[in-house]
Amino acid sequence: MQQQQDVVIGLEVHVQLTSLKTKLFCSCPSDYRGKPPNTHTCPVCLGLPGSLPVVNKKAIEFAVMAALALNCQVSERAVFFRKNYFYVDMSKNFQISMYDRAGGTPIGRGGYVDIDVDGTRKRVRISRIQLEEDPARLVHLGPIELSPYTLVDYNRAGIALLEIVTEPDLSSPKEARIFLQKLRSILEHCGIFDGSLEGSMRCDANISLAGGARVEIKNITSFKEVERALSFEIARQRELLKRGQQVRRETRHWDEDRRMTFTLRVKEEEHDYRYFPEPDLVPIVITEDFIERVRSMMPELPDHRAERFMREYGLPEYDARVLTSEKALADFFEACVKLYPSPKKVSNWLMTDTMRVLNEYNLDWSSIKMEPEHLAELLKLMDDGVISIKIAKLLIFDVVLKGIPPSKLVEEKGMKRIVDENYLSQLIEKIFREFPKAVQDALKDEKAVHFLVGQVMRHTKGRADPALTNELIRRKLNELQRSS
Ligand code: ZN
Ligand code: MN
């Protein structure tokens, strides 16, 4: 990453408060996913004239909790503003948001998140965190700029969003990904957010290279995408600068499918939004008492949880950090250790074997079908000698992807370890006849014995008991030695 020291990245993250039951300014249900379009709507979130917004108090509580969790200073007063713009995703032609100028204050300011990049801690400053309403969802046919029409679904309009803005403290696409991952874990631990829901975390990124203008990338929908989008943009801007061309200050759109950015519009100026205080809502006074009440409800956050994992389970720091990088993963680990109290072993099987399956199928933790009971059972089957480690590493695919209990898989697939001496002896007999050269070698060279063991394993698909196989082969070689 040394060559990227000239890269400056700041993020603007939009996170839905998915634990809320209703929208930010009306009582429409917030679980819009998979619902028929435009059914979770009312005069308020459709922006009909004469309708009046009412602030969801729980949203203020959640926003304050997020601000505290991100080490922000919580404002005593939060004022909603109108951010004016003309676009179909906001039928009122303005978005009710917060503003940090002209008498406006966001919910929180001046916070930070510590991230771990290649074993080093780095502090990413949070400049502000504010509440606003989500616009409607626009549905396009194919790529946005080729779509013959745009469909609008107002079910999402008015969903409570947190806008979290960082200082330009990030210096690589990887750091941006790690930051978002950490942010997600923190908010999930707060119990206000579920990052596994599609589109619940979206991100715009500002990026500039030394000597170039700042470019904003919109429409990044996950932390995997953020890394890709920023890498693409760095390459694009570097190429321009290398050829002596200018990087234009503009807003670009990230196309997930084609994995490239393209110009959306030349950057608008902030004053274009004509911010002014929302006259239909009174300023929100956030008392010290309220803040203390929220603080007292604050659950354990990822950094503390990682420290506890090291203390309580004796895990290395690396394991503790990886396991707490996602709440569901940390929860799984703790549930599994209760059933199989060997923390390091559980951690290894989660961090290597389970992750390998997920990576191979390009899935994330939320799509895992394995239960803590399943992993505990798999480890016990190995301890009891019912299956070998090799078989366990095979079985875990079906356990992770389909949620089939390992004991059932062993039964169904006949994967029990073979300890039948007769059967193995006969098989070895056959292999000795098949590979006379290898047998001759094995009489002189220890290494050639492995080849013969390997053949037995191949024939039994890894089910032969390794110790017994070794013993039987050696016994047979000794017999040959004596008879010659
Ligand atoms: Zn509504
Ligand atoms: Mn926003």
Side-chain angles (χ1 to χ4, degrees), residues 306-356:
E307 279 156 30
R308 181 168 62 79
F309 277 16
M310 290 186 257
R311 212 173 49 235
E312 207 170 288
Y313 303 116
L315 290 182
E317 181 174 356
Y318 179 75
D319 292 45
R321 298 256 174 249
V322 172
L323 292 173
T324 54
S325 68
E326 200 157 339
K327 182 173 182 291
L329 174 57
D331 291 346
F332 188 106
F333 168 77
E334 291 209 88
C336 192
V337 166
K338 278 211 181 81
L339 303 165
Y340 187 89
S342 179
K344 183 58 182 147
K345 208 161 165 188
V346 172
S347 166
N348 287 347
W349 275 81
L350 284 175
M351 288 174 39
T352 53
D353 302 281
T354 306
M355 290 302 177
R356 184 166 44 89

Side-chain angles (χ1 to χ4, degrees), residues 1 4 9 11 117 172-178 180-181 203 205 207 217 220-235 254 259:
M1 292 292 134
Q4 296 196 341
I9 298 167
L11 299 179
V117 187
S172 73
K174 183 179 174 185
E175 281 183 17
R177 170 178 49 82
I178 293 172
L180 287 184
Q181 222 159 349
C203 162
I207 174 165
I217 314 171
I220 308 172
T221 54
S222 73
F223 41 73
K224 272 183 199 155
E225 294 298 323
V226 89
E227 200 169 6
R228 286 192 189 127
L230 287 168
S231 299
F232 174 88
E233 197 49 29
I234 288 172
W254 169 243
R259 295 198 180 166

Side-chain angles (χ1 to χ4, degrees), residues 252-408:
R252 297 177 70 86
H253 179 90
W254 169 243
D255 188 320
E256 243 173 57
D257 300 325
R258 287 180 297 168
R259 295 198 180 166
M260 58 186 290
T261 64
F262 62 88
T263 300
L264 201 58
R265 57 179 178 265
V266 175
K267 180 73 186 164
E268 71 280 2
E269 296 295 327
E270 190 150 83
H271 62 248
D272 290 338
Y273 287 125
R274 296 285 185 272
Y275 278 97
F276 65 85
E278 164 63 68
D280 291 339
L281 288 167
V282 292
I284 293 157
V285 178
I286 304 171
T287 63
E288 203 50 51
D289 271 6
F290 184 79
I291 297 172
E292 279 320 305
R293 201 146 27 90
V294 175
R295 202 191 295 276
S296 70
M297 295 186 302
M298 182 82 76
E300 186 182 42
L301 296 178
D303 278 348
H304 282 128
R305 199 171 190 188
E307 279 156 30
R308 181 168 62 79
F309 277 16
M310 290 186 257
R311 212 173 49 235
E312 207 170 288
Y313 303 116
L315 290 182
E317 181 174 356
Y318 179 75
D319 292 45
R321 298 256 174 249
V322 172
L323 292 173
T324 54
S325 68
E326 200 157 339
K327 182 173 182 291
L329 174 57
D331 291 346
F332 188 106
F333 168 77
E334 291 209 88
C336 192
V337 166
K338 278 211 181 81
L339 303 165
Y340 187 89
S342 179
K344 183 58 182 147
K345 208 161 165 188
V346 172
S347 166
N348 287 347
W349 275 81
L350 284 175
M351 288 174 39
T352 53
D353 302 281
T354 306
M355 290 302 177
R356 184 166 44 89
V357 177
L358 293 177
N359 287 340
E360 237 168 78
Y361 286 81
N362 201 19
L363 298 169
D364 51 29
W365 187 266
S366 56
S367 45
I368 198 166
K369 298 283 195 301
M370 179 168 74
E371 300 287 337
E373 295 74 28
H374 296 156
L375 182 55
E377 188 180 50
L378 190 74
L379 297 173
K380 277 180 198 149
L381 285 171
M382 264 190 292
D383 289 349
D384 296 345
V386 178
I387 55 170
S388 63
I389 183 163
K390 242 186 174 152
I391 296 292
K393 281 175 192 280
L394 276 177
L395 290 184
I396 198 162
F397 277 83
D398 277 348
V399 181
V400 168
L401 300 171
K402 298 181 193 152
I404 307 173
S407 54
K408 205 174 157 206

Side-chain angles (χ1 to χ4, degrees), residues 8 86 97 141 146 150-151 184 221 227 267 277-278 348 359 365 373 387-388 402 411 417 421 452 464:
V8 178
F86 178 74
S97 178
L141 186 72
L146 298 177
T150 299
L151 298 170
R184 171 180 167 172
T221 54
E227 200 169 6
K267 180 73 186 164
E278 164 63 68
N348 287 347
N359 287 340
W365 187 266
E373 295 74 28
I387 55 170
S388 63
K402 298 181 193 152
E411 214 55 59
R417 174 145 46 169
E421 230 183 284
L452 295 169

Side-chain angles (χ1 to χ4, degrees), residues 29 45 72 89 91 161 233 237 240 249 285 301 335 359 369 373 392 409 473:
C45 55
C72 287
D89 65 3
S91 56
L161 274 188
E233 197 49 29
Q237 293 184 21
L240 281 177
R249 172 136 193 230
V285 178
L301 296 178
N359 287 340
K369 298 283 195 301
E373 295 74 28
L409 285 171
I473 287 178

Side-chain angles (χ1 to χ4, degrees), residues 12-14 83 95 97-98 128 130-133 135 161-165 204 218 275:
E12 192 181 303
V13 191
H14 286 97
K83 181 184 185 180
Q95 177 191 31
S97 178
M98 287 175 174
R128 63 187 157 84
Q130 65 184 36
L131 256 180
E132 60 190 36
E133 56 181 332
L161 274 188
L162 283 182
E163 181 183 296
I164 299 164
V165 183
D204 302 336
K218 290 215 172 269
Y275 278 97

Side-chain angles (χ1 to χ4, degrees), residues 15-19 33 62 65-67 69-70 113 162 164 179-201 223 297-303 305 322-332 364-367:
V15 172
Q16 291 180 337
L17 294 173
T18 54
S19 299
R33 289 178 179 79
F62 283 4
M65 182 174 279
L70 301 178
V113 170
L162 283 182
I164 299 164
F179 169 80
L180 287 184
Q181 222 159 349
K182 183 76 178 269
L183 180 64
R184 171 180 167 172
S185 185
I186 291 171
L187 298 174
E188 286 189 336
H189 276 86
C190 286
I192 61 179
F193 171 64
D194 178 356
S196 69
L197 296 172
E198 200 215 330
S200 59
M201 179 185 253
F223 41 73
M297 295 186 302
M298 182 82 76
E300 186 182 42
L301 296 178
D303 278 348
R305 199 171 190 188
V322 172
L323 292 173
T324 54
S325 68
E326 200 157 339
K327 182 173 182 291
L329 174 57
D331 291 346
F332 188 106
D364 51 29
W365 187 266
S366 56
S367 45

